[in-house]
Every structure is written in structure tokens, then in C-alpha cells.
Amino acid sequence: MNFQALVDGIVDMIRRETKGKNALVALSGGIDSTVTAILSKIAIGDKLKCVFIDTGFMRERDFKDVDYVSNKYGLDVEIINAKDEFLSELLGRSDAEEKRRIFREIFYSVLGRKFKEAKCKYLIQGTIASDWIETKGGIKTQHNVLKQIGIDTVKKYGFKVIEPLADMYKDQVRELAKFLGLPRKIYDRQPFPGPGLLIRAVGKLTERKLDLARKATEIVEKELAEMNCSQYFAAVIDNKWSIDERASIELSTRIVERLTVKRMDTYATGIKGDLRVYGRIAALMDENIEEKTIPQLVQLQAILISKFSEYTRVVYNISRGNEKRKHAIIVRAVVSSDLMTANVAEISMNRLCEVAQKIKDEVGDFPIYYDVTPKPPATIEFE
Amino acid sequence: MFIPVIDVKSAQYSHLIYRRLTEIDVQSKLLPVETTLNDLIKMRADAVILSGGPPRIFESLGELSNLIEIVLNFESPILGICISHQLIACAFGGKAGPAKTPEYGPVVIYIDDKNEIFEGFNDQFIAWASHNDEVYTPLPRELKILAHSENCEVQALKHLSRPVYGVQFHPEVSHTENGLEIFRNFTSIVKA
């Protein structure tokens, strides 16, 4: 790719679209919005303002990264605290898509108010190809996709949306970030969803679940940092289940040893044949953990999901935990360049058990599972 | 060379097909599912790629009749992926419907006939699939199986006398081994 021509083209486009007026970029600390802000700064200089909306679902490092970028590139960033607004609307909500849609509505209402106050009419945002493709295809609602699904942003929120990266995938944005001279900690940064920890607190949202998702994600991010995964985090589900006898028998005959399949009550998002599926989670309980490898488990996953169509996810028990606990923790780690397909990261059982032990020590003795589902049939996030 | 991609109803990977073509310096464009044979002729397409997509084949043959007309009457090379592979089989009188064992994610593809579309490939390779439906056998007389997998008999097919190809898996996704080579081979067929 000719990056200089690409940069010139984007800079021209931003100048043309904003017509010499002020524009706003909503930063998240992630690579897409950072690259968008830097290109916008080149294009319109002081006419650019940035905002960072504190949704209450962000991690500490998101604040740090926004701070770093704003200092390094001389961006004028205002932090808007909207935590209470998000939390009060979202506590108690269970459905993954409902959470995402409510999140989007609040996010853009908050932004809309800022636009009115700043008398600004242009929002430049870092939406990339995988965002609008998934949203248009009905797989899941990425919060930063509006016009592609027919939302008239001028009418509804009072601003026009400009998306300079809409034709690019994550790996291409990373290359562009390198070309722009961004440091490794930005261009190599793992993706973090717009609605953040909200979606990793799977099922009914409670403050307790959110807190567990935050703590467990922090540990997984630290423990797996050197494993070359593209995305690695933790999610929290309700620890309610029943035994799936048919699936247990099917798997046990396939591999000639006793495996128990728990059918979790919580639903999770998946994608089968380009269709969204909100299905069940199958949790595998195994006595012989140390003898298993990830490719074997991915194969078991394929058998289970193609035979029992209600499932979209298969997770594998890496720490038994106390079954009386109300929550269970899922560790997910995948390898993907463009986020359109993803492989389960091949981490040794030893290492996974060490990560589980860390979570047990620092967060609590919950049942802990490793997600062994590729995308498709799962999505990259766990929600 | 200009090879447009017809996007079958907001497919997940149609824009990736477009990306792969631009990566091998082929001019391309995403076209809506309503595109007709006449549209392709008018825009002087050198070939066409029909994407995968969310519709189920057995419910959609009626509404995708414009694509069937393209498959039957467009004289330049055609590559159909996933549902469009199934549509090619149906266009020539074959059958497609729910798969006995649907495949999602990695599958091993075994090449049965090392045809021009698989030029340079090993006898087996890993490709990624995402399908609920599949092509049933036997195929109509003018079509031929090129590859299979453990759970799917027709992973690739071609027409015996015309440059029409179908693949059930997704050569456009980054996890498919040497997927880009399928597009290179297809453009060589277009040039020939």
C-alpha cells in the first residue's frame, strides 16, 4: 500500500468534508480513534477538538493511553464523565444486543450535547471495515456504526459523521499507524470494544459482575502479554447450568474418556454461515486436563457445535473452583489480523492453569474456563 | 482487468474479496445483490465473483434469480463462494440444502482434481468455512467435483466446458492457507 498517498487522500477528504469549520474526534485510547485524531490534526490543526467519554466501562490503561497520545500529539482532549448515565440505564439489562444498542444511544446523546455546546457540526470517527460489516450484517451492533444502518445523524444528533478509515481493516490501520511514526504500544495495542467491560459482564449486568470482569481482565492482560495473542481478556457469566447428557455421551464416545458437558444458562453471541446466533455455552469438565492440547479441544468444539446447534461457544474448565459461587470466569485469547476470522490461541495447559491460579488467588475461587471456539462460529469478544 | 464482486445481502466477507483483488492489482468494486447480467455487460466486467452471504439456499433461489441468470449466461469467468457455490450447482440443475454436518472455522480440504483454480496447491490444505447448507451429490452432468472435506463432499466444483468455478470454503479470509492463490489463479484464467 502507498501510505503517503493514503495519508494525503484522507487529509484532503477531511479538509473537504469539514469545509473550514470545527470538528470533533471521540478518542477511546485505541488505535483507530488515535490514528483518526492524528490525521485530523494534520488536516485541520486547531479546528480539531477531542473528547473522551468516561463510560465507566473503560480500563485504567485507556485513560493513560489517551493522556499519552494527547500530550505527544498536542491534542486538545476534554474528558466527559458520563458514568452514572450509562450505569443507571444499563444495570439489570441482560441481552447482549440490547446492551449494545442502549450503549450507542447514550454515547451519541452525550456527544450530541457536547456538539450543541461547542457549536460544532462534524464528528470524525475511527470506524473501520470490520465494524460496519458486522453491524450491517446483523451480527452485532458496533456502537460507532450509524449511517450504514440508516441512522440520519444530522437529524438525530445534530452532526455529520466522517469516517476516514471505513475501508480499512485492523492490520491496515496498524500499518498506517507505523507509517505515521506512532510508538509500538499504540500500533500493537490489542483491540478493546467501544462498550468495553459492559459486554464482558455477560448476561444480567450487576456492579459485582462488572467489578469481576475488570479485575479478571487486568490479570489476563498482564499474564498473557508476551504470548503474541491479538486479543486476550476475561468475561464473567452466571454460574448456573444443567448437565447435557446427550452431548456428554457424544463427546465421551468420540475420545473414549469421560467428559461432562454443562449447558450454561447464559447466552452468548455467535456467527454461523454469516448469520447471528444468540446461543448457549457448553462448558466441558475434564479429569485429564494436562493431557489436552488446544487443537484437540478445538476439534471437540467443532463436533459439539455442528451436532448440537443450540451451542455457539465451547469453553473448557481450567480451574474447578467453588461451585457455590454465583459467577464463573471465562478466559479468551485469539489470534487474528483483521478481526474477520480468529483462531484460538495455542497456549499450553500448564500456562492456562497458572493464569487460572492467579485469578483464583487475586479475584476468588470461581470456576474458570478457557474459550476454545474460533470465529466463526464464535465472535472475538465474549458476550 | 476489472472484476467486480456481487455482495449477497451484506455478507461478512464480500469486502475482503474486494480487498484481496486490490492486493493483486485487480480493479474491483462491490456491487449490490440486485446486479443483473446486463449491468455486468454494460460495465465491461472481465469476470465476476459472487460472494457468500446469510441467505439459506433453499429459500432464496427465487429472489436470487438474477444471479442464476448471470451464472447461466455471463460468458466471462465466474467464481462463486459459499452460498454462490451452492447457487451455481442449483443453476445447472443440481441440489443444495441443509448440511448434515455444518462446518464453521478451520477444515481440511482434500483436492480431488488438481485443476487450474488449485494450481500450485498441495493435495490438502486448511481453509476456513462457515456454512449451514451444502451442495448435494450427484452433481449435474456438466459439473465436476474438484475438492472435498471430511464432512462436505463438494468443497469445490467447476463446469466442464465453461470457466465457472465454485468453492464452499472462504479463500478470502486470512486464515485460509494460500487463499490469495485462488484469486491469482482465477485472474490467470481470466487472462487466458
Side-chain angles (χ1 to χ4, degrees):
Chain A
M1 201 180 280
N2 180 344
F3 284 103
Q4 190 56 54
L6 179 68
V7 168
D8 293 345
I10 291 175
V11 165
D12 269 358
M13 185 266 247
I14 294 172
R15 278 186 192 141
R16 204 171 51 237
E17 294 271 326
T18 54
K19 301 181 179 101
K21 301 277 184 1
N22 290 338
L24 223 133
V25 168
L27 278 177
S28 69
I31 178 169
D32 305 334
S33 65
T34 300
V35 167
T36 302
I38 290 168
L39 291 171
S40 302
K41 179 85 181 174
I42 297 172
I44 59 172
D46 290 344
K47 296 207 177 300
L48 175 72
K49 268 196 171 310
C50 298
V51 292
F52 173 75
I53 299 183
D54 180 1
T55 60
F57 307 126
M58 310 300 274
R59 302 157 303 174
E60 217 173 290
R61 74 161 291 179
D62 299 312
F63 290 84
K64 283 189 188 146
D65 285 349
V66 165
D67 199 45
Y68 169 83
V69 168
S70 65
N71 283 329
K72 185 162 164 118
Y73 294 95
L75 301 173
D76 171 15
V77 185
E78 180 185 347
I79 296 176
I80 304 176
N81 180 350
K83 278 194 277 197
D84 294 342
E85 205 169 334
F86 279 97
L87 206 58
S88 66
E89 281 293 326
L90 284 157
L91 276 177
R93 307 274 185 181
S94 301
D95 182 89
E97 273 300 277
E98 189 187 22
K99 282 182 191 168
R100 280 184 174 269
R101 278 193 299 265
I102 293 172
F103 179 90
R104 181 188 67 205
E105 288 312 309
I106 302 170
F107 189 92
Y108 287 99
S109 304
V110 171
L111 260 186
R113 293 203 293 269
K114 187 83 244 161
F115 271 85
K116 245 186 207 150
E117 188 190 305
K119 294 203 169 69
C120 178
K121 289 198 161 43
Y122 299 97
L123 171 68
I124 312 172
Q125 64 178 6
T127 309
I128 62 172
S130 49
D131 293 331
W132 62 259
I133 292 168
E134 283 197 340
T135 306
K136 253 181 106 172
I139 308 304
K140 59 182 178 186
T141 303
Q142 301 288 2
H143 79 287
N144 58 355
V145 177
L146 303 164
K147 59 184 181 187
Q148 291 90 343
I149 52 170
I151 295 175
D152 181 342
T153 59
V154 176
K155 222 175 181 174
K156 189 162 181 187
Y157 304 111
F159 52 77
K160 188 174 178 229
V161 171
I162 302 164
E163 292 167 340
L165 309 181
D167 229 17
M168 299 173 75
Y169 290 88
K170 192 64 100 183
D171 56 313
Q172 296 171 313
V173 178
R174 291 194 200 284
E175 290 299 320
L176 177 56
K178 264 190 228 175
F179 176 80
L180 291 170
L182 269 73
R184 180 162 188 181
K185 70 168 185 174
I186 300 294
Y187 72 71
D188 246 5
R189 193 183 196 269
Q190 71 155 317
F192 185 65
L197 299 167
L198 163 67
I199 59 171
R200 293 180 184 171
V202 190
K204 190 174 175 184
L205 184 70
T206 62
E207 290 191 71
R208 168 76 171 146
K209 217 184 246 175
L210 203 54
D211 182 52
L212 291 175
R214 185 184 304 279
K215 285 180 177 147
T217 285
E218 202 178 316
I219 292 170
V220 172
E221 284 185 353
K222 202 154 62 185
E223 292 295 312
L224 298 183
E226 304 303 323
M227 304 291 293
N228 284 322
C229 306
S230 324
Q231 205 160 324
Y232 44 104
F233 58 89
V236 179
I237 62 174
D238 294 307
N239 188 29
K240 282 191 195 149
W241 47 270
S242 52
I243 298 286
D244 185 337
E245 290 291 350
R246 281 178 56 228
S248 302
I249 292 166
E250 172 77 28
L251 281 196
S252 302
T253 45
R254 289 276 186 149
I255 58 163
V256 209
E257 62 178 280
R258 179 77 189 146
L259 271 181
T260 307
V261 179
K262 286 182 186 167
R263 177 178 180 274
M264 307 303 293
D265 283 7
T266 305
Y267 284 84
T269 300
I271 170 172
K272 294 179 176 178
D274 278 12
L275 286 164
R276 171 187 170 78
V277 189
Y278 201 36
R280 295 284 189 172
I281 302 159
L284 303 188
M285 308 301 291
D286 186 5
E287 300 295 339
N288 303 313
I289 295 188
E290 49 293 317
E291 289 162 24
K292 296 289 186 305
T293 63
I294 299 303
Q296 277 173 332
L297 294 171
V298 170
Q299 263 182 0
L300 289 182
Q301 166 276 142
I303 293 169
L304 222 137
I305 288 189
S306 58
K307 286 252 182 243
F308 302 91
S309 59
E310 65 174 328
Y311 292 118
T312 52
R313 300 264 171 172
V314 178
V315 298
Y316 182 77
N317 189 231
I318 51 173
S319 176
R320 288 237 151 211
N322 178 355
E323 271 300 351
K324 289 194 181 122
R325 293 278 191 154
K326 286 203 172 87
H327 300 97
I329 293 176
I330 313 284
V331 175
R332 179 139 175 88
V334 298
V335 178
S336 173
S337 61
D338 55 24
L339 312 183
M340 299 306 293
T341 46
N343 231 333
V344 179
E346 286 188 33
I347 302 169
S348 72
M349 275 305 146
N350 265 342
R351 188 79 195 89
L352 285 173
C353 290
E354 281 168 22
V355 175
Q357 185 63 42
K358 267 263 170 349
I359 295 174
K360 182 178 171 180
D361 293 344
E362 293 178 30
V363 186
D365 190 17
F366 298 94
I368 303 172
Y369 300 91
Y370 185 59
D371 188 344
V372 292
T373 328
K375 172 187 182 177
T379 53
I380 289 179
E381 279 294 327
F382 195 107
E383 59 187 295
Chain B
M1 191 187 301
F2 174 54
I3 307 181
V5 177
I6 297 182
D7 169 33
V8 179
K9 301 203 164 179
S10 299
Q12 287 302 291
Y13 311 132
S14 50
H15 186 272
L16 272 181
I17 305 171
Y18 163 82
R19 173 177 173 180
R20 298 297 168 237
L21 289 172
T22 54
E23 278 173 351
I24 55 171
D25 298 318
V26 172
Q27 253 197 28
S28 186
K29 189 183 179 186
L30 278 176
L31 300 176
V33 68
E34 300 82 15
T35 305
T36 64
L37 176 61
N38 242 339
D39 296 335
L40 288 182
I41 294 168
K42 258 192 254 163
M43 65 180 79
R44 295 167 181 272
D46 295 303
V48 67
I49 298 182
L50 310 177
S51 80
R56 301 296 301 263
I57 187 71
F58 47 94
E59 304 166 341
S60 315
L61 287 170
E63 53 179 319
L64 299 178
S65 58
N66 57 313
L67 300 186
I68 292 181
E69 203 206 333
I70 288 172
V71 168
L72 291 176
N73 296 315
F74 186 55
E75 286 174 359
S76 304
I78 300 170
L79 174 63
I81 297 172
C82 203
I83 188 181
S84 296
H85 157 83
Q86 298 155 13
L87 183 123
I88 289 171
C90 295
F92 290 105
K95 284 202 166 62
K100 202 166 79 207
T101 310
E103 298 171 308
Y104 317 107
V107 289
V108 180
I109 306 291
Y110 301 92
I111 299 179
D112 303 309
D113 181 342
K114 214 171 211 173
N115 181 273
E116 57 274 12
I117 201 85
F118 288 125
E119 181 74 43
F121 274 69
N122 293 330
D123 294 343
Q124 62 182 73
F125 63 99
I126 292 175
W128 281 44
S130 185
H131 63 110
N132 299 307
D133 300 330
E134 67 182 3
V135 174
Y136 295 156
T137 52
L139 287 186
R141 266 212 318 242
E142 56 266 70
L143 299 181
K144 184 179 179 190
I145 297 178
L146 299 182
H148 71 277
S149 64
E150 189 192 344
N151 293 312
C152 174
E153 277 186 85
V154 193
Q155 276 288 353
L157 59 76
K158 81 157 285 195
H159 191 276
L160 287 179
S161 57
R162 287 182 44 211
V164 177
Y165 304 84
V167 288
Q168 180 58 69
F169 60 90
H170 290 277
E172 67 275 28
V173 307
S174 62
H175 280 95
T176 292
E177 284 175 12
N178 299 317
L180 195 60
E181 291 309 309
I182 301 243
F183 295 103
R184 279 220 179 87
N185 290 341
F186 183 65
T187 56
S188 302
I189 294 164
V190 178
K191 276 182 207 146

